[in-house]
Every structure is written in C-alpha cells, then in structure tokens.
Coordinates of all heavy atoms in Angstrom, one line a residue:
M1 N 42.0 9.7 -31.6 CA 41.3 10.5 -30.7 C 39.9 10.9 -31.3 O 39.8 11.2 -32.5 CB 42.1 11.8 -30.5 CG 41.6 12.6 -29.3 SD 42.8 13.9 -29.0 CE 41.9 15.0 -28.2
K2 N 38.9 10.9 -30.4 CA 37.6 11.1 -30.9 C 37.4 12.6 -31.0 O 37.9 13.4 -30.2 CB 36.6 10.6 -29.9 CG 36.6 9.1 -29.8 CD 35.6 8.6 -28.8 CE 35.7 7.1 -28.5 NZ 34.8 6.7 -27.5
S3 N 36.6 13.0 -31.9 CA 36.3 14.4 -32.1 C 35.1 14.8 -31.3 O 34.3 14.0 -30.8 CB 36.0 14.7 -33.6 OG 34.8 14.2 -34.0
K4 N 34.9 16.1 -31.1 CA 33.8 16.5 -30.3 C 32.5 16.3 -30.9 O 31.4 16.0 -30.3 CB 33.9 18.0 -30.1 CG 35.0 18.4 -29.1 CD 35.1 19.9 -28.8 CE 36.2 20.2 -27.9 NZ 36.3 21.7 -27.5
T5 N 32.4 16.2 -32.3 CA 31.2 15.9 -33.0 C 30.8 14.5 -32.8 O 29.6 14.2 -32.6 CB 31.5 16.1 -34.5 OG1 32.0 17.4 -34.7 CG2 30.2 15.9 -35.3
Q6 N 31.7 13.5 -32.7 CA 31.4 12.1 -32.5 C 30.9 12.0 -31.0 O 30.0 11.2 -30.9 CB 32.6 11.2 -32.7 CG 33.0 11.1 -34.1 CD 34.3 10.3 -34.2 OE1 35.2 10.3 -33.3 NE2 34.4 9.6 -35.4
D7 N 31.5 12.7 -30.1 CA 31.0 12.6 -28.7 C 29.6 13.2 -28.6 O 28.7 12.6 -27.9 CB 31.9 13.4 -27.8 CG 33.3 12.7 -27.6 OD1 33.4 11.5 -27.8 OD2 34.2 13.4 -27.2
K8 N 29.3 14.2 -29.3 CA 27.9 14.8 -29.2 C 26.9 13.9 -29.9 O 25.8 13.7 -29.3 CB 28.0 16.2 -30.0 CG 28.6 17.3 -29.1 CD 28.5 18.6 -29.9 CE 29.2 19.7 -29.1 NZ 29.1 21.0 -29.8
K9 N 27.3 13.2 -30.9 CA 26.4 12.3 -31.6 C 26.1 11.1 -30.7 O 24.9 10.7 -30.6 CB 27.0 11.8 -33.0 CG 26.9 12.8 -34.0 CD 27.5 12.3 -35.4 CE 27.4 13.3 -36.5 NZ 27.9 12.8 -37.7
R10 N 27.1 10.6 -30.0 CA 27.0 9.5 -29.2 C 26.1 9.8 -28.0 O 25.2 9.1 -27.6 CB 28.3 9.0 -28.7 CG 28.2 7.8 -27.8 CD 29.5 7.1 -27.5 NE 30.0 6.4 -28.7 CZ 31.2 6.5 -29.2 NH1 32.1 7.2 -28.6 NH2 31.5 5.9 -30.3
L11 N 26.3 11.0 -27.4 CA 25.5 11.5 -26.3 C 24.1 11.7 -26.7 O 23.1 11.4 -26.0 CB 26.1 12.8 -25.7 CG 25.5 13.3 -24.4 CD1 25.6 12.3 -23.3 CD2 26.2 14.6 -24.0
N12 N 23.9 12.3 -27.9 CA 22.5 12.5 -28.4 C 21.8 11.1 -28.6 O 20.6 11.0 -28.3 CB 22.6 13.3 -29.7 CG 21.2 13.7 -30.2 OD1 20.3 13.9 -29.4 ND2 21.1 14.0 -31.5
A13 N 22.5 10.1 -29.1 CA 21.9 8.8 -29.3 C 21.5 8.2 -28.0 O 20.4 7.6 -27.9 CB 22.9 7.9 -30.0
V14 N 22.3 8.3 -27.0 CA 22.0 7.8 -25.6 C 20.8 8.5 -25.1 O 19.8 7.9 -24.6 CB 23.2 7.9 -24.7 CG1 22.8 7.6 -23.2 CG2 24.3 7.0 -25.1
G15 N 20.7 9.8 -25.3 CA 19.6 10.6 -24.8 C 18.3 10.2 -25.5 O 17.2 10.1 -24.8
M16 N 18.4 10.0 -26.7 CA 17.2 9.6 -27.5 C 16.7 8.2 -27.0 O 15.5 7.9 -26.9 CB 17.5 9.5 -29.0 CG 17.8 10.9 -29.6 SD 16.3 12.0 -29.5 CE 15.4 11.2 -30.8
R17 N 17.6 7.3 -26.7 CA 17.2 5.9 -26.2 C 16.6 6.1 -24.8 O 15.6 5.4 -24.6 CB 18.4 5.0 -26.1 CG 18.9 4.6 -27.5 CD 20.0 3.6 -27.3 NE 20.5 3.3 -28.7 CZ 21.7 2.9 -29.0 NH1 22.6 2.9 -28.1 NH2 22.1 2.6 -30.2
I18 N 17.1 6.9 -24.0 CA 16.5 7.1 -22.7 C 15.1 7.7 -22.8 O 14.1 7.3 -22.1 CB 17.4 8.0 -21.8 CG1 18.7 7.2 -21.4 CG2 16.7 8.5 -20.5 CD1 19.7 8.0 -20.7
C19 N 14.9 8.7 -23.7 CA 13.6 9.3 -23.9 C 12.6 8.2 -24.5 O 11.5 8.2 -24.1 CB 13.7 10.5 -24.9 SG 14.4 11.9 -24.2
A20 N 13.1 7.4 -25.4 CA 12.2 6.4 -25.9 C 11.8 5.4 -24.8 O 10.6 4.9 -24.7 CB 12.9 5.6 -27.0
L21 N 12.7 5.0 -23.9 CA 12.4 4.1 -22.8 C 11.3 4.8 -21.9 O 10.4 4.1 -21.5 CB 13.7 3.8 -22.0 CG 13.5 3.0 -20.8 CD1 13.0 1.6 -21.2 CD2 14.8 2.9 -20.0
F22 N 11.5 6.0 -21.5 CA 10.5 6.7 -20.7 C 9.2 6.8 -21.4 O 8.1 6.6 -20.8 CB 11.0 8.1 -20.3 CG 12.0 8.0 -19.1 CD1 13.3 8.6 -19.3 CD2 11.6 7.5 -17.9 CE1 14.1 8.6 -18.2 CE2 12.5 7.4 -16.9 CZ 13.8 8.0 -17.0
A23 N 9.2 7.0 -22.7 CA 7.9 7.0 -23.4 C 7.2 5.7 -23.3 O 5.9 5.6 -23.1 CB 8.1 7.4 -24.9
V24 N 7.9 4.6 -23.5 CA 7.3 3.2 -23.5 C 6.8 3.0 -22.1 O 5.7 2.5 -21.9 CB 8.4 2.2 -23.9 CG1 7.9 0.8 -23.6 CG2 8.7 2.3 -25.4
L25 N 7.6 3.3 -21.1 CA 7.1 3.1 -19.7 C 5.9 3.9 -19.4 O 5.0 3.5 -18.7 CB 8.3 3.5 -18.7 CG 9.5 2.5 -18.7 CD1 10.5 3.0 -17.8 CD2 9.0 1.1 -18.3
A26 N 5.8 5.1 -19.9 CA 4.6 6.0 -19.7 C 3.4 5.3 -20.3 O 2.3 5.3 -19.7 CB 4.8 7.4 -20.2
V27 N 3.5 4.8 -21.5 CA 2.4 4.1 -22.1 C 2.0 2.9 -21.4 O 0.7 2.7 -21.2 CB 2.7 3.8 -23.6 CG1 1.7 2.9 -24.2 CG2 2.9 5.0 -24.4
V28 N 2.9 2.1 -20.9 CA 2.6 0.9 -20.2 C 1.9 1.3 -18.8 O 0.9 0.7 -18.4 CB 3.8 0.0 -19.9 CG1 3.6 -1.1 -18.9 CG2 4.3 -0.5 -21.2
F29 N 2.4 2.3 -18.1 CA 1.8 2.8 -16.9 C 0.4 3.3 -17.1 O -0.5 2.9 -16.4 CB 2.7 3.9 -16.3 CG 2.2 4.4 -15.0 CD1 2.3 3.7 -13.8 CD2 1.6 5.6 -15.0 CE1 1.8 4.1 -12.6 CE2 1.1 6.1 -13.7 CZ 1.2 5.4 -12.6
A30 N 0.2 4.0 -18.2 CA -1.1 4.6 -18.5 C -2.1 3.4 -18.8 O -3.3 3.4 -18.3 CB -1.1 5.5 -19.7
A31 N -1.7 2.4 -19.5 CA -2.5 1.3 -19.8 C -2.9 0.5 -18.6 O -4.0 0.1 -18.4 CB -1.8 0.4 -20.8
F32 N -1.9 0.4 -17.7 CA -2.2 -0.3 -16.4 C -3.2 0.4 -15.6 O -4.0 -0.1 -15.0 CB -0.8 -0.5 -15.7 CG -1.0 -1.2 -14.4 CD1 -1.3 -2.5 -14.2 CD2 -0.9 -0.5 -13.2 CE1 -1.4 -3.2 -13.0 CE2 -1.0 -1.1 -11.9 CZ -1.3 -2.4 -11.9
M33 N -3.0 1.7 -15.5 CA -3.8 2.5 -14.6 C -5.3 2.6 -15.1 O -6.2 2.8 -14.3 CB -3.3 3.9 -14.5 CG -2.0 4.0 -13.7 SD -2.1 3.2 -12.1 CE -3.2 4.2 -11.2
T34 N -5.5 2.4 -16.4 CA -6.9 2.5 -16.9 C -7.6 1.1 -16.8 O -8.8 1.1 -16.8 CB -6.9 2.9 -18.4 OG1 -6.1 2.0 -19.1 CG2 -6.4 4.3 -18.6
T35 N -6.8 0.0 -16.6 CA -7.5 -1.3 -16.5 C -7.7 -1.7 -15.1 O -8.6 -2.4 -14.7 CB -6.7 -2.4 -17.2 OG1 -5.3 -2.4 -16.7 CG2 -6.6 -2.1 -18.7
V36 N -6.8 -1.3 -14.2 CA -6.9 -1.8 -12.8 C -8.1 -1.3 -12.1 O -8.9 -2.1 -11.5 CB -5.6 -1.4 -11.9 CG1 -5.8 -1.6 -10.5 CG2 -4.5 -2.2 -12.5
P37 N -8.5 0.0 -12.2 CA -9.8 0.5 -11.5 C -11.0 -0.2 -12.0 O -11.9 -0.6 -11.3 CB -9.8 2.0 -11.8 CG -8.4 2.3 -12.0 CD -7.7 1.2 -12.6
H38 N -11.0 -0.5 -13.3 CA -12.1 -1.2 -13.9 C -12.2 -2.6 -13.3 O -13.3 -3.1 -13.0 CB -12.0 -1.3 -15.4 CG -13.1 -2.1 -16.1 ND1 -14.4 -1.6 -16.1 CD2 -13.1 -3.3 -16.7 CE1 -15.2 -2.5 -16.7 NE2 -14.4 -3.5 -17.1
A39 N -11.1 -3.3 -13.2 CA -11.1 -4.7 -12.6 C -11.5 -4.6 -11.2 O -12.3 -5.5 -10.7 CB -9.7 -5.3 -12.8
L40 N -11.1 -3.7 -10.4 CA -11.5 -3.6 -9.0 C -13.0 -3.3 -8.9 O -13.7 -3.8 -8.0 CB -10.7 -2.5 -8.3 CG -9.2 -2.9 -8.1 CD1 -8.5 -1.7 -7.5 CD2 -9.0 -4.1 -7.3
A41 N -13.5 -2.4 -9.8 CA -14.9 -2.1 -9.7 C -15.8 -3.2 -10.0 O -16.9 -3.4 -9.4 CB -15.2 -0.9 -10.7
S42 N -15.3 -4.2 -10.8 CA -16.1 -5.3 -11.2 C -16.2 -6.3 -10.0 O -17.1 -7.2 -10.0 CB -15.6 -6.0 -12.4 OG -14.3 -6.6 -12.2
E43 N -15.2 -6.2 -9.1 CA -15.2 -7.2 -7.9 C -16.1 -6.7 -6.8 O -16.5 -7.5 -6.0 CB -13.8 -7.3 -7.5 CG -12.9 -8.0 -8.4 CD -11.4 -8.1 -7.9 OE1 -11.2 -7.7 -6.8 OE2 -10.6 -8.5 -8.7
T44 N -16.4 -5.4 -6.8 CA -17.3 -4.9 -5.7 C -18.7 -5.1 -6.2 O -19.0 -5.1 -7.4 CB -17.0 -3.5 -5.4 OG1 -17.2 -2.7 -6.6 CG2 -15.6 -3.2 -4.9
G45 N -19.6 -5.2 -5.2 CA -21.0 -5.4 -5.6 C -21.9 -5.3 -4.3 O -21.5 -4.7 -3.3
N46 N -22.9 -6.0 -4.4 CA -23.9 -6.0 -3.3 C -23.3 -6.9 -2.2 O -23.0 -8.0 -2.3 CB -25.2 -6.7 -3.8 CG -26.3 -6.6 -2.8 OD1 -26.1 -6.1 -1.7 ND2 -27.4 -7.1 -3.2
P47 N -23.2 -6.3 -0.9 CA -22.7 -7.0 0.2 C -23.6 -8.2 0.6 O -23.1 -9.2 1.1 CB -22.8 -6.0 1.4 CG -22.8 -4.6 0.7 CD -23.5 -4.8 -0.6
A48 N -24.8 -8.2 0.2 CA -25.7 -9.3 0.5 C -25.3 -10.6 -0.3 O -25.7 -11.7 0.0 CB -27.1 -8.9 0.3
S49 N -24.6 -10.3 -1.4 CA -24.2 -11.5 -2.3 C -23.2 -12.4 -1.6 O -23.0 -13.5 -2.1 CB -23.7 -11.0 -3.6 OG -22.4 -10.3 -3.4
V50 N -22.5 -12.0 -0.5 CA -21.6 -12.8 0.2 C -22.2 -13.6 1.3 O -21.5 -14.4 1.9 CB -20.3 -12.1 0.6 CG1 -19.6 -11.5 -0.6 CG2 -20.7 -11.0 1.6
K51 N -23.4 -13.3 1.6 CA -24.1 -13.9 2.7 C -24.2 -15.4 2.6 O -24.5 -15.9 1.5 CB -25.5 -13.3 2.9 CG -26.2 -13.8 4.2 CD -27.5 -13.1 4.3 CE -28.1 -13.6 5.6 NZ -29.4 -12.9 5.9
G52 N -23.7 -16.2 3.6 CA -23.7 -17.6 3.5 C -22.5 -18.2 2.9 O -22.3 -19.4 3.0
K53 N -21.6 -17.4 2.4 CA -20.4 -18.0 1.8 C -19.2 -18.0 2.9 O -19.3 -17.2 3.8 CB -19.9 -17.1 0.7 CG -20.9 -17.1 -0.5 CD -20.3 -16.3 -1.7 CE -21.2 -16.4 -2.9 NZ -20.7 -15.6 -4.0
T54 N -18.3 -18.9 2.7 CA -17.2 -19.1 3.6 C -15.9 -18.7 2.9 O -15.7 -19.2 1.8 CB -17.1 -20.5 4.1 OG1 -18.4 -20.8 4.8 CG2 -16.0 -20.7 5.1
Y55 N -15.1 -17.8 3.5 CA -13.9 -17.4 2.9 C -12.7 -17.8 3.8 O -12.9 -17.7 5.1 CB -13.8 -15.9 2.7 CG -14.8 -15.5 1.7 CD1 -16.1 -15.0 2.1 CD2 -14.5 -15.4 0.3 CE1 -17.0 -14.6 1.1 CE2 -15.4 -15.0 -0.6 CZ -16.6 -14.6 -0.2 OH -17.5 -14.1 -1.1
K56 N -11.6 -18.4 3.3 CA -10.4 -18.7 4.1 C -9.5 -17.6 3.7 O -9.1 -17.3 2.6 CB -9.9 -20.0 3.7 CG -10.7 -21.2 4.1 CD -10.1 -22.5 3.8 CE -10.9 -23.6 4.3 NZ -10.3 -24.9 4.0
I57 N -8.9 -16.9 4.8 CA -8.0 -15.9 4.6 C -6.7 -16.2 5.4 O -6.7 -16.6 6.6 CB -8.6 -14.6 5.2 CG1 -9.8 -14.2 4.5 CG2 -7.6 -13.4 5.1 CD1 -10.6 -13.0 5.1
G58 N -5.5 -16.1 4.7 CA -4.3 -16.3 5.3 C -3.7 -15.0 5.9 O -3.9 -14.0 5.3
T59 N -2.9 -15.2 7.0 CA -2.3 -14.0 7.6 C -1.0 -14.5 8.2 O -0.7 -15.6 8.4 CB -3.2 -13.3 8.6 OG1 -2.5 -12.1 9.0 CG2 -3.4 -14.2 9.8
D60 N -0.1 -13.5 8.5 CA 1.2 -13.8 9.1 C 1.1 -13.1 10.5 O 0.9 -11.9 10.6 CB 2.3 -13.1 8.3 CG 3.7 -13.5 8.8 OD1 3.8 -14.2 9.8 OD2 4.7 -12.9 8.3
T61 N 1.3 -13.9 11.5 CA 1.1 -13.4 12.9 C 2.4 -12.9 13.5 O 2.5 -12.8 14.7 CB 0.5 -14.5 13.8 OG1 1.4 -15.6 13.9 CG2 -0.9 -14.9 13.4
T62 N 3.4 -12.5 12.7 CA 4.6 -12.0 13.2 C 4.7 -10.5 13.3 O 5.8 -10.0 13.6 CB 5.8 -12.5 12.4 OG1 5.6 -12.1 11.0 CG2 5.9 -14.0 12.5
F63 N 3.7 -9.8 13.0 CA 3.7 -8.3 12.9 C 2.8 -7.7 14.0 O 1.8 -7.1 13.7 CB 3.4 -7.8 11.6 CG 4.3 -8.2 10.5 CD1 4.0 -9.2 9.6 CD2 5.6 -7.7 10.5 CE1 4.9 -9.6 8.6 CE2 6.5 -8.1 9.5 CZ 6.1 -9.1 8.6
A64 N 3.2 -7.8 15.3 CA 2.4 -7.2 16.3 C 2.6 -5.7 16.2 O 3.6 -5.2 15.7 CB 3.0 -7.6 17.7
P65 N 1.6 -4.9 16.5 CA 0.3 -5.3 17.1 C -0.8 -5.6 16.2 O -2.0 -5.8 16.6 CB 0.0 -3.9 17.9 CG 0.4 -2.9 16.9 CD 1.7 -3.5 16.3
F66 N -0.5 -5.7 14.9 CA -1.6 -6.1 13.9 C -2.1 -7.5 14.1 O -3.3 -7.7 14.3 CB -1.1 -5.8 12.5 CG -0.6 -4.4 12.3 CD1 0.8 -4.1 12.2 CD2 -1.4 -3.4 12.3 CE1 1.3 -2.9 12.0 CE2 -1.0 -2.0 12.1 CZ 0.4 -1.8 12.0
E67 N -1.3 -8.4 14.0 CA -1.6 -9.8 14.3 C -0.5 -10.4 15.1 O 0.6 -10.2 14.8 CB -1.8 -10.7 13.0 CG -2.9 -10.2 12.1 CD -2.4 -9.4 10.9 OE1 -1.1 -9.4 10.8 OE2 -3.1 -8.9 10.2
Y68 N -0.9 -11.2 16.1 CA 0.1 -11.9 16.9 C -0.6 -13.0 17.7 O -1.8 -13.0 17.8 CB 0.9 -11.0 17.8 CG 0.2 -10.2 18.8 CD1 0.0 -10.7 20.1 CD2 -0.4 -9.0 18.5 CE1 -0.7 -10.0 21.1 CE2 -1.1 -8.3 19.5 CZ -1.3 -8.8 20.7 OH -2.0 -8.1 21.7
R69 N 0.1 -13.9 18.2 CA -0.5 -15.0 19.0 C -0.2 -14.7 20.5 O 0.8 -14.4 20.9 CB 0.1 -16.3 18.7 CG -0.2 -16.7 17.2 CD -0.2 -18.2 17.1 NE -0.6 -18.6 15.8 CZ -1.9 -19.0 15.5 NH1 -2.7 -19.1 16.4 NH2 -2.2 -19.3 14.2
E70 N -1.3 -14.9 21.3 CA -1.3 -14.7 22.7 C -2.0 -15.9 23.3 O -3.2 -16.1 23.1 CB -2.0 -13.4 23.1 CG -1.9 -13.0 24.5 CD -2.5 -11.7 24.8 OE1 -3.7 -11.5 24.7 OE2 -1.7 -10.8 25.0
N71 N -1.3 -16.7 24.1 CA -1.8 -17.9 24.7 C -2.4 -18.8 23.6 O -3.4 -19.5 23.8 CB -2.9 -17.6 25.8 CG -2.3 -16.8 26.9 OD1 -1.2 -16.9 27.3 ND2 -3.1 -15.8 27.4
G72 N -1.7 -18.9 22.5 CA -2.1 -19.8 21.4 C -3.2 -19.3 20.6 O -3.6 -20.0 19.6
K73 N -3.8 -18.2 20.9 CA -4.9 -17.6 20.1 C -4.4 -16.5 19.3 O -3.6 -15.6 19.7 CB -6.1 -17.2 21.0 CG -6.8 -18.3 21.6 CD -8.0 -17.8 22.5 CE -9.0 -17.3 21.5 NZ -10.2 -16.9 22.2
M74 N -4.9 -16.4 18.1 CA -4.5 -15.2 17.2 C -5.3 -14.0 17.7 O -6.5 -14.0 17.9 CB -4.8 -15.5 15.8 CG -4.2 -14.5 14.8 SD -4.2 -14.9 13.1 CE -5.9 -14.7 12.7
T75 N -4.5 -12.9 17.9 CA -5.1 -11.6 18.3 C -4.5 -10.5 17.7 O -3.6 -10.7 16.8 CB -5.0 -11.6 19.9 OG1 -5.8 -10.4 20.3 CG2 -3.6 -11.5 20.3
G76 N -4.8 -9.3 18.0 CA -4.2 -8.1 17.4 C -5.3 -7.1 16.9 O -6.5 -7.4 16.9
I77 N -4.9 -5.9 16.5 CA -5.9 -4.9 16.1 C -6.5 -5.2 14.7 O -7.5 -4.7 14.4 CB -5.3 -3.5 16.1 CG1 -4.1 -3.4 15.1 CG2 -4.9 -3.1 17.5 CD1 -3.5 -2.0 15.0
D78 N -5.9 -6.1 13.9 CA -6.5 -6.5 12.6 C -7.4 -7.6 12.8 O -8.2 -8.0 11.9 CB -5.4 -6.9 11.6 CG -4.8 -5.7 10.9 OD1 -5.3 -4.5 11.1 OD2 -3.8 -5.9 10.3
R79 N -7.4 -8.2 13.9 CA -8.2 -9.4 14.2 C -9.5 -8.9 14.8 O -9.6 -8.3 15.8 CB -7.5 -10.3 15.2 CG -8.3 -11.5 15.5 CD -8.1 -12.6 14.4 NE -8.8 -13.8 14.9 CZ -9.4 -14.6 14.1 NH1 -9.3 -14.4 12.8 NH2 -10.0 -15.6 14.5
S80 N -10.6 -9.1 14.1 CA -11.9 -8.6 14.6 C -12.9 -9.8 14.8 O -12.7 -10.8 14.3 CB -12.5 -7.6 13.7 OG -12.6 -8.0 12.4

C-alpha cells in the first residue's frame, strides 16, 4: 500500500511537469507574437508598388453569400 507521502510526491512531480510545460508554451507563444507583426509589417508598403502587377487568387465558391456561382459566373459579397 502506498503511503500518503508517496502520493503527495507523485502529485507534486506531475504539477511541476505541468507548470514546466505551460512555461515552455508561454515562451514559444511570446516569441511567435513578437515575430509575426514584424513579418506582416515588412509585407506592407506603398500601394503604388503593385501597379501593373498581376496576382492570381484562389477561392472556394461554396460559401454563399461570400462567394458562389450564379449562371456560371462567380459572384457574392466578397467578389468586387
């Protein structure tokens, strides 16, 4: 039969592992949050720099009213 002391030690060890996991996740999350805004900021710029460029954009027309097909043409409120 296990003693109460062994149960407390085991419970304490599990608690410490959970705390360590949350600490690691917090550090990873913080690192991610500091790099993403910087990356997005570097992608924005002068709107005139896209003049004359052609972009191909894919979409899924199964989510009406955003995009859908009507008489073979793509339409919807996201379609401008």
Side-chain angles (χ1 to χ4, degrees):
M1 191 166 159
K2 296 179 184 176
S3 71
K4 289 183 181 183
T5 305
Q6 288 175 331
D7 288 340
K8 286 182 181 180
K9 285 181 180 180
R10 182 171 287 134
L11 187 59
N12 191 23
V14 170
M16 293 296 285
R17 287 182 182 151
I18 291 173
C19 286
L21 175 65
F22 279 122
V24 168
L25 289 175
V27 169
V28 170
F29 180 75
F32 178 74
M33 291 307 293
T34 57
T35 57
V36 170
H38 177 68
L40 293 176
S42 66
E43 293 176 8
T44 60
N46 185 1
S49 65
V50 297
K51 189 174 182 178
K53 293 184 180 181
T54 302
Y55 295 93
K56 291 184 180 182
I57 300 171
T59 186
D60 184 3
T61 59
T62 58
F63 297 107
F66 303 106
E67 299 100 8
Y68 60 96
R69 294 208 175 258
E70 185 174 72
N71 299 325
K73 290 183 72 179
M74 192 168 73
T75 188
I77 61 174
D78 280 350
R79 181 80 177 148
S80 52

